[in-house]
Amino acid sequence: RGGHAAVVLAGQIHVIGGGNSQSTIADHDVYDPTTRVWSARAGLPRAAGSVAAVAHEGKLFAIGGRSGGEDFAAVDVYDPATDAWTAGPSIEARGTAGATVHCGAVHVFGGESQARGAVLGEVLRLAGGEGWQPVVGLPTARNFARAVEFRGAAYVVGGGLTPQTSHAPAGSAIVERLGCL
């Protein structure tokens, strides 16, 4: 599988979406590092590669993603207690975005819109019941970048600078640090 997302939730590694040699997939597999056993869980509501994902407040958030030439606006929330996905607040359609929990809220960084043929530079925050709110623009708009939280700051690492027609973009060595937004 490639183009998937991986997150740690409750001490287990959840791997969602992505693709294989035949197609984009909706698979959701969990690895328990204690027992070293993989198990299947409820699949994503749709096949999606290049989905952004985070664990927040005991749940897994799958944000955007794509299949073929279609980007998704869906945000799906997985509850491990029920092994079920529910719809979260939608976002402007995008794939290849980075995401992390930053300053207590889910944040999405950049990505790409195939419909617009554009690399995105927005930083959006999921603020409680308010839905997605624009916070600030990335200093450098990027697709395929990854975001991590480290010592109170969000770091957006690497990524491409131009819209892609393949899953092998030319990367960059850009690392940008954003404090609480």
Side-chain angles (χ1 to χ4, degrees):
R1 162 189 313 195
H4 54 280
V7 232
V8 174
L9 177 62
Q12 298 181 325
I13 301 168
H14 291 249
V15 179
I16 58 171
N20 57 33
S21 60
Q22 288 85 34
S23 66
T24 307
I25 59 177
D27 295 11
H28 174 192
D29 298 296
V30 176
Y31 180 73
D32 184 332
T34 305
T35 62
R36 300 191 327 203
V37 173
W38 284 98
S39 56
R41 295 292 193 272
L44 287 166
R46 78 205 50 72
S50 299
V51 63
V54 298
H56 182 56
E57 296 181 341
K59 298 188 177 165
L60 188 157
F61 289 71
I63 305 159
R66 61 174 42 158
S67 184
E70 181 183 6
D71 292 320
F72 302 124
V75 174
D76 298 297
V77 182
Y78 175 77
D79 185 342
T82 61
D83 189 33
W85 293 90
T86 57
S90 64
I91 193 169
E92 178 188 357
R94 69 189 59 227
T96 75
T100 192
V101 175
H102 178 56
C103 300
V106 176
H107 285 72
V108 170
F109 302 87
E112 181 175 73
S113 167
Q114 293 179 98
R116 294 185 358 214
V119 173
L120 306 175
E122 299 96 359
V123 176
L124 303 170
R125 176 180 57 224
L126 183 57
E130 301 172 26
W132 293 97
Q133 301 295 316
V135 184
V136 68
L138 278 172
T140 309
R142 283 173 282 157
N143 55 10
F144 294 95
R146 295 298 168 246
V148 295
E149 179 76 8
F150 182 68
R151 295 186 179 165
Y155 288 81
V156 183
V157 182
L161 305 175
T162 59
Q164 297 301 310
T165 57
S166 74
H167 288 289
S172 70
I174 298 168
V175 176
E176 293 170 332
R177 179 188 182 280
L178 296 112
C180 276
L181 309 170

